[in-house]
Amino acid sequence: MTLRRTFKTVVLALSIAVGLVAHTKTSHAQTLETLTVAGGCFWCVEADFEKVDGVKEAVSGFAGGSTANPTYKQVTGGNTGHYEAVQITFDPAQVDVETLLSLFFRSIDPTDAGGQFCDRGDSYRTAIFATPSQTNAANQAKASAQAQLGQTVVTPVLKSGPFYPADTYHQNFYKEGGIILTRFGPKSKAKAYKAYRDACGRDARVKALWGSDAPFVGG
């Protein structure tokens, strides 16, 4: 009888412990938030923000348009109204949205209304797709960027809406090893990305604008 009671006690204790662990994991998962931004080439924005402590994932995709589930070809063709965008999933206990917005502005050219760097056209424009709780922080970050630059910041703060992830080919492009054919011959995706980023002048322009406040130059 005593042995049976002891066994039941152990089983009950184990059940409680498992329940507490599961609850902790669920509670932590529920604290994660997302921020969606457009900063030109989504490969670059994804690569930049996946370096930030507290960011759990950055997904390349499309936002701000009128076509459901658009393809990359449709978006770059200019007929859907979408921006190349990145949805950043982060833990607000490790990094707050204000910090992410500050990093975002200082990783782009927010004075350029026609695209970013060598990429021109509507799909390469900058924007913040803010949730209601993020709108005030986004507007404050924009005002701060404008005051620091002493130039008009044209990056709009837009209402958040549907975000459509791009196809697998475009995810994690900056660190993939798969070989693709480029104008310079066969290269891994990672090397092709680096060559593109250098040739496009992204880091050079950001450095010229923001100086030592440019957080991702060289990324």
Side-chain angles (χ1 to χ4, degrees):
M1 194 70 174
T2 302
L3 181 61
R4 182 179 299 174
R5 186 178 295 113
T6 302
F7 177 73
K8 286 183 176 179
T9 301
V10 171
V11 170
L12 179 61
L14 287 172
S15 298
I16 292 171
V18 170
L20 285 172
V21 170
H23 177 72
T24 299
K25 287 184 176 180
T26 301
S27 297
H28 181 70
Q30 289 174 343
T31 67
L32 296 181
E33 298 179 11
T34 62
L35 172 66
T36 303
V37 296
C41 170
F42 50 24
W43 298 342
C44 298
V45 180
E46 179 187 340
D48 287 345
F49 279 89
E50 286 198 339
K51 298 181 179 74
V52 177
D53 289 342
V55 169
K56 303 306 178 183
E57 184 181 30
V59 176
S60 292
F62 313 106
S66 57
T67 302
N69 298 305
T71 65
Y72 180 79
K73 185 175 181 180
Q74 286 176 317
V75 171
T76 55
N79 297 317
T80 71
H82 286 88
Y83 297 67
E84 282 200 13
V86 171
Q87 189 169 79
I88 302 163
T89 300
F90 64 98
D91 184 345
Q94 295 180 268
V95 61
D96 56 34
V97 71
E98 289 82 4
T99 297
L100 294 175
L101 288 165
S102 177
L103 292 172
F104 169 67
F105 273 112
R106 288 155 185 80
S107 67
I108 61 171
D109 178 356
T111 69
D112 187 347
Q116 285 290 281
F117 318 108
C118 67
D119 293 316
R120 314 312 300 165
D122 288 352
S123 64
Y124 293 108
R125 292 172 297 165
T126 62
I128 299 166
F129 299 93
T131 64
S133 65
Q134 295 170 345
T135 300
N136 186 54
N139 284 323
Q140 287 183 355
K142 179 175 179 177
S144 174
Q146 184 160 290
Q148 183 174 347
L149 288 178
Q151 301 179 53
T152 300
V153 167
V154 298
T155 302
V157 176
L158 304 175
K159 184 179 178 180
S160 65
F163 173 82
Y164 301 101
D167 56 90
T168 303
Y169 175 85
H170 291 289
Q171 306 299 336
N172 299 308
F173 195 96
Y174 73 99
K175 59 183 178 183
E176 287 292 317
I179 302 299
I180 60 172
L181 186 62
T182 74
R183 60 178 176 167
F184 304 109
K187 285 183 177 290
S188 69
K189 284 185 176 181
K191 288 185 177 178
Y193 161 77
K194 184 64 167 61
Y196 153 77
R197 183 164 181 147
D198 291 345
C200 200
R202 186 182 187 101
D203 290 341
R205 175 58 179 158
V206 170
K207 182 70 173 177
L209 272 176
W210 296 104
S212 60
D213 284 339
F216 304 119
V217 168

